[in-house]
Amino acid sequence: MANKNKEKLVDVKNLKTYFYTEEGVVKAVDGIDFEIYPGETLGIVGESGCGKSVTSLSIMGLVESPPGKIAEGEILFEGIDLTKLSQAEMRKIRGNEISMIFQEPMTSLNPVYTIGDQISEAIIIHKGLSKKEAMKESVEMLKKVGIPLPEQRINEYPHQLSGGMRQRVMIAMALSCDPKLLIADEPTTALDVTIQAQILELMNSLKASYGMSIMMITHDLGVIAEISDRVAVMYAGKIVEYTDVNTLFADPKHPYTWGLMNSIPKLDRDVNRLQAIPGIVPNPLNFPDGCKFNTRCPLAEGKCFTDEPKIVDAAEGHKVRCWRYKDLEEMKKQNVKIYEEQR
Amino acid sequence: MSDKNLNKKSNLKSEGLKETSDTLLKDSWRKLKRNKLALVGMSIVILFIIVAILAPYLTPYDPVEQLIWTEGAAVKLAPPSADHLFGTDLYGRDILTRVIYGARISLQISIAAMSISVLIGIILGTLAGYYGGIIDDIISWIINVLYAFPFLLFVIAIVAFFPPSLILTFSAISLVYWMSIARVVRGQVLSIKEKEFVEAARALGVKDWKIMFKHILPNIIAPVIVQATLGMGSIIMIEASLTYLGFGTQPPTPSWGYMISAGQGYLAQGQWWWGVFPAIAIILTVLGFNLFGDGLRDALDPKSR
Amino acid sequence: MAEKLLEVNNLKKYFPVKAGIFKKTVAYVKAVDDVSFFVNKGETLGLVGESGCGKSTTGRTILRLLEATAGEVIFEGKDVLSLNKEDLRNIRRDMQIIFQDPYASLNPRMTVADIVGEPIDIHNLAKNKKERNEKVKDILERVGLGSEYMRRYPHEFSGGQRQRIGVARALAVDPKLIIADEPVSALDVSIQAQVINLLQDLQKDFGLTYLFIAHDLSVVKHISDRIAVMYLGKIVEMADKTELFDDPMHPYTQSLLSAIPEADPTKKKERIILEGDVPSPVDPPSGCRFHPRCPKAFDKCSVEEPVFKDYGDNHFAACHLLEE
């Protein structure tokens, strides 16, 4: 669990990552602040286009430039500002200190090399071992991520493995250099539920044994609940709510978070009708004035259409970006269905 | 409350649509405009077409009439001058004029040949791709066998068999050229027919021919245009080669291939203009079509930005 | 007693695996292997399973978008699989499909009016152009899209709006049965709820029957009356939804239910984590297809295939454990 007295591993301050396209500037990430403590899992949840993946790419220094650019802000990793590092320095950090796994493991693995070749390559680069030692180490890694018959598997090619196995290989590669931070971008989205359960369990157990931090990026609130210690909810390039996982699910303070939670069907509760959030995410080239959620928010009024709310402490360790979070509180108490049934 | 909600709803509707209502055409044009080489290619192609159309108005001379008998030997094989910018040939004809009229012949033959190729290619390619199975096997087999034939020899064989004529020339060319269109079409149809909108059409009970024409064809038109543009260069080249070898357009019709063939004997003697100017015309046009085709390929590809 | 609208009996769909220069069939992918179920009039049957279990193939085979290898599909007393071309075209007025991918399922070269109007034209459901356009307008409004969008092309819409257009197209022929193949899984969470609500509203308004194919159990549970669970080309369990969730009989269903991550961090559920991956449908395991991964498998399971039968109250399952 996060310990606030501990040194921050990652401290992101006012990060802005913009894409300069012909149609205009896309503010994919527009001024976000968060931190990750050693040994914790920070979940970043949001829908497509909310900027969660760009956030992770910014930390990895992998934002395609041009058209992308970190326009402002700092990403402090153990006190060093990653945005100031050269390509070469960043390469050293990537893979050594920070590793990343992606949604689609097939495209992240090179189809013409064996699994063993690919894991050992990472080990050779980062640990300076000989090819033979690296292969041995690879077998060990595959064992740790729960791949059966690792001695055989290292001689196989990516296409011979199933999706779940490939994701395990990716995790093995990512962990082979004992990173301090593992960024997982929708690692289970392409997998079946039973395989997803395997991978999530694996990640949880590895986190415990490696003592690393995880930044989990997903659209799935179920996955968030399963794996995170703290959660940042993103909408339209901003963090709208930021707190620990239990508080978030027990007491969501932002209308968007509240809406998301009510729009998914629950297994243990039957409702006749889901409370859907109306409308769609606004076009990033043409965000509304004021709060960016105002086009869909049932609570939006006056100020919400003119002034953008700042992110504030609604309670100890519970940040929210909303003018009317106190009103929402009241409505929740009175059991008002704020997302009225619309047809 | 309800008032505000109403407002928001209409707001939402406009929000729902992307601001840019770019059609494919507009989008492609935007991308094409950025590609300098493609623009150069396009300009050459347009120039070539204009020249071909306006030929009679561009030059005071007649392309066929042999002036040598009336004006005397002075204009025979004259080097480039103010009167004859590209010089004259052995029969005293203005080479610039013949190059200009040559564009006409080239364009006529290649457009005719390409049209037939596209027609055959689309029909056979679509049938092969859509139905698959034995139909595909037969069509693919024909294509593969034809491909195995030496292209030029095959055309020569056809042309040599019949008395030469314009119709024969372009028919012979299209007889071998349709395959490259058919291949592109077949590949595209194979990928489009797997799309769910084609399944949806089938589920609605749309007839096969209508699925092919209404749902598949409009979606493969872009790559066919690209292939056809690139192919124009090749066809101009084939026509010139045939004529050069004496199997294509027959004299006195002004044709670039024939001019090169006739002029080549005089290259060594220093009367280079007879052969060189038509050669430059060919190179420029083929290059123009290739650059333009390449640019179109990138511009029409929705994945490129 | 509920009236059956659709009855599927022993449906099989094998895809040949061809190899060599003569394209000889060397094996079969048994995508759907002896599947039987029924859908009552006005209800929603959820068909769930993981990728490759054959649920989508089942849906497409029922509609004859794929030709079945064997079996029967009875729709209102008619065997769909033996209909000739003309009769098949007619029955397609009654059975429609909604697809998963809102980007691939609409022809990018057609306007919304043409996409939704095409089924009306094909089946001559409008007397003239004006009536047709009125109908299109009406349907678009029913799915929550304004008629001002009629002249627009699909790429101008968001995923959720495209999915609504897909729904409108299916509705245009006024069908009785709609096969919804993962209709929300490509959409964002907040949009999923909109489309699910829409489907439920339409069901009420038009008295539709749904075969709802999905991998997401919570969505299936929300929308379905009954649920059938597929594994590797077979239905392993089928029951009323509350019955299935309260008392799952088949070990696969049990593990599937336990694997769903729930949006509630306080709930730490007892997980049945399955070992390994789904085996290949080319060479499925002998006996019960689930036995290599089944935590409760015993000797008999690898030898003999369990029978899919009713264990009371229309709760069907196929497992040797239940026969003890």
Side-chain angles (χ1 to χ4, degrees), chain B residues 55 62-65 89 93-109 166 239 243 249-260 274 278:
Chain B
D62 186 276
V64 182
E65 195 189 350
D89 66 7
R93 295 174 296 203
D94 181 52
I95 289 178
L96 176 60
T97 305
R98 285 183 64 83
V99 167
I100 288 173
Y101 277 87
R104 228 177 199 198
I105 298 296
S106 273
L107 194 71
Q108 280 170 0
I109 292 180
L166 217 69
E239 189 272 332
T243 312
T249 321
Q250 297 300 307
T253 314
S255 151
W256 295 343
Y258 171 72
M259 292 167 81
I260 298 174
W274 194 357

Side-chain angles (χ1 to χ4, degrees), chain A residues 298-301 305, chain B residues 1-9:
Chain A
L299 269 63
E301 60 171 31
F305 292 103
Chain B
M1 179 79 187
S2 64
D3 222 52
K4 194 197 77 196
N5 262 3
L6 267 179
N7 266 334
K8 212 183 307 167
K9 247 184 202 152

Side-chain angles (χ1 to χ4, degrees), chain B residues 72-251:
Chain B
V75 283
K76 170 179 162 184
L77 273 177
S81 65
D83 275 350
H84 303 282
L85 286 176
F86 287 5
T88 63
D89 66 7
L90 188 62
Y91 311 101
R93 295 174 296 203
D94 181 52
I95 289 178
L96 176 60
T97 305
R98 285 183 64 83
V99 167
I100 288 173
Y101 277 87
R104 228 177 199 198
I105 298 296
S106 273
L107 194 71
Q108 280 170 0
I109 292 180
S110 30
I111 285 182
M114 186 50 82
S115 311
I116 298 174
S117 299
V118 167
L119 195 70
I120 304 177
I122 283 184
I123 292 173
L124 293 185
T126 308
L127 289 177
Y130 187 76
Y131 285 108
I134 186 88
I135 298 178
D136 185 22
D137 288 347
I138 293 171
I139 295 173
S140 297
W141 187 80
I142 295 174
I143 292 177
N144 287 332
V145 169
L146 282 180
Y147 254 112
F149 270 72
F151 202 61
L152 208 54
L153 285 184
F154 188 63
V155 181
I156 290 173
I158 299 171
V159 176
F161 204 75
F162 300 98
S165 75
L166 217 69
I167 294 175
L168 181 67
T169 310
F170 70 68
S171 309
I173 294 174
S174 32
L175 204 59
V176 289
Y177 202 78
W178 65 268
M179 312 173 307
S180 59
I181 302 283
R183 276 201 166 173
V184 171
V185 171
R186 176 179 172 272
Q188 290 290 325
V189 171
L190 277 179
S191 82
I192 298 285
K193 81 163 178 184
E194 295 300 322
K195 289 273 169 68
E196 284 176 343
F197 67 78
V198 174
E199 270 195 303
R202 289 176 54 210
L204 288 170
V206 183
K207 295 195 171 90
D208 278 351
W209 65 269
K210 216 172 170 189
I211 291 181
M212 284 187 255
F213 274 95
K214 206 168 151 194
H215 291 270
I216 296 181
L217 268 187
N219 283 291
I220 62 169
I221 254 354
V224 171
I225 291 174
V226 171
Q227 186 65 26
T229 312
L230 289 170
M232 285 292 281
S234 318
I235 288 184
I236 289 172
M237 205 70 133
I238 296 169
E239 189 272 332
S241 312
L242 282 178
T243 312
Y244 174 85
L245 294 171
F247 296 101
T249 321
Q250 297 300 307

Side-chain angles (χ1 to χ4, degrees), chain A residues 21 40 82 94 123 189 212 248 265 288 310 312 335 339:
Chain A
T21 68
E40 77 162 350
L82 299 184
R94 244 187 343 246
I123 296 174
T189 306
M212 63 186 170
L248 184 82
K310 298 241 171 330
V312 294
N335 253 330
Y339 288 94

